[in-house]
Amino acid sequence: MNAIEIKDLSKSFRGMYAVDHLTMTVPQGAIYGFIGENGSGKSTTEKLICGHLVPDGGEIKLFGRDYTDPGVRVRVGALIENAGCFPGSSVYQNLMMQCINLGIQNADEEILRVLRIVRMEEHASLKFKSCSLGMKQRIGIAMALLGSPALLILDEPINGLDTDGMRMMREILVDITKTYGCTVLISSHLLGELEKIATHYGIIRQGKMIVEMSAEEMDARAQVFTSLKTAQMQKALALLSQKYADVREEDGYIRIYDVDNVEEIVSFLMENGQVVSEIKKNKIGLEEYYIELMSKQGGKHK
């Protein structure tokens, strides 16, 4: 069963489509990276799924049932834009107010449970306004996890975090899916970070789904390339361009695409008086794939 199935979903504002006949599938148990430039419709789609907005048309199913079904709505947790906490209240007090709002029984146990998941159990008495950005993001996720949702929807939860904050957030999201069986839909502009945890991707542009794929499919599509440096870069570039079909100078390296025979490349350069000082094999990552895809679609990465 899929956690989310969307067909022909549309939402317009002042006659302009923010979501334009979108089709989208999120498998149960996935960490689904939802990718797109600013204004592409990511947040609007997430708000539609959460019931914060009413669609103009189309279908949204969650776990095989209509998204308006009260029985399935209680299985959805979300953090969109911010946690909506009271600054002068403690972490515990904010979570308790949300428990009351949700009608959660044994609230103390539930608060302790979610604080443990987000590594915040030692900061329960800290006032929200005194928390760092990373802590506030984790508190928001804790609030979204109250009631043990089967689907968690997160809008840009890692933006603005430092290295340690992003590492901890990655660990928490993987833990949520592997230990608790929760499906996670996460949007982010930090594609390098998303690539480390996502099991599936959906790339949206101007409200339309451009491509959906698993991480394995992304890896299979990614171009292989060999990158190298020599003392005479321009001469080496000219020589390699004569022999191979796709040779570029990028990021201070010469890249030879769709060729991973390092020995052949080194031998060819040595035969032509070029000494290789550095060489490595690699694959195009998510960010480069995204930028290339957007350029083909007539857009640009933001």
Side-chain angles (χ1 to χ4, degrees), residues 91-92 95 108-125 138-139 142 145-146:
V91 173
Y92 174 87
L95 288 168
D108 285 328
E109 293 178 18
E110 180 66 0
I111 290 169
L112 181 58
R113 183 186 74 87
V114 298
L115 286 176
R116 283 174 177 161
I117 293 173
V118 300
R119 285 68 159 166
M120 286 284 293
E121 62 267 38
E122 296 180 1
H123 304 287
S125 61
R138 283 184 278 147
I139 294 163
L145 286 171
L146 288 170

Side-chain angles (χ1 to χ4, degrees), residues 16-34:
M16 298 286 291
Y17 277 119
V19 176
D20 188 358
H21 300 85
L22 179 77
T23 295
M24 179 177 176
T25 303
V26 179
Q28 193 167 349
I31 299 179
Y32 186 102
F34 197 27

Side-chain angles (χ1 to χ4, degrees), residues 3 23 26 38 50 52 73 75 79-80 88 101 112 137 140 167 177 179 195 213 222 236 240 243 252 263 295 298:
T23 295
V26 179
N38 291 333
C50 291
H52 298 171
R73 289 249 51 89
R75 302 181 68 189
L79 174 61
I80 297 177
N101 183 49
L112 181 58
Q137 291 291 74
R167 175 189 54 78
T177 55
T179 305
E195 190 173 16
M213 58 188 169
L240 291 165
K243 183 174 177 63
E263 292 78 11
S295 67

